[in-house]
Amino acid sequence: MHVKLSGAYRLGGRDANALARLWLGELGAGCLLWGSDWPCTNHEDQADYPALVRTLHEWLEPAAAQAALCVNPARLYWGEEAAGAR
């Protein structure tokens, strides 16, 4: 099972940081993926790419953020064990 962390601005006031940490605690860093949903958010007025990336780094410690950004997608989509293999 994987969970994509994205679209925090669409959570209707829910605490995205708490949800990200909940998923991290429940599933572990190896099951988290990050997606900006940019530019097709239908909420362009509420978010921009640099802000979205910053929020991920606020939610997760560096190793878990790196896993969600690089390691996990490479493993899930391309079967690669190392983030830099592609």
Side-chain angles (χ1 to χ4, degrees), residues 7-73:
Y9 48 88
R10 292 187 273 181
L11 291 176
R14 290 179 186 86
D15 185 352
N17 188 322
L19 289 171
R21 291 176 187 271
L22 172 77
W23 287 121
L24 177 63
E26 292 293 318
L27 301 176
C31 292
L32 301 179
L33 303 168
W34 181 80
S36 70
D37 295 343
W38 192 261
C40 302
T41 66
N42 294 324
H43 299 273
E44 287 81 1
D45 61 321
Q46 297 177 25
D48 63 82
Y49 185 82
L52 296 171
V53 173
R54 279 192 305 275
T55 60
L56 174 70
H57 291 282
E58 292 170 6
W59 300 338
L60 304 175
E61 68 273 0
Q66 180 68 13
L69 284 166
C70 299
V71 177
N72 299 340

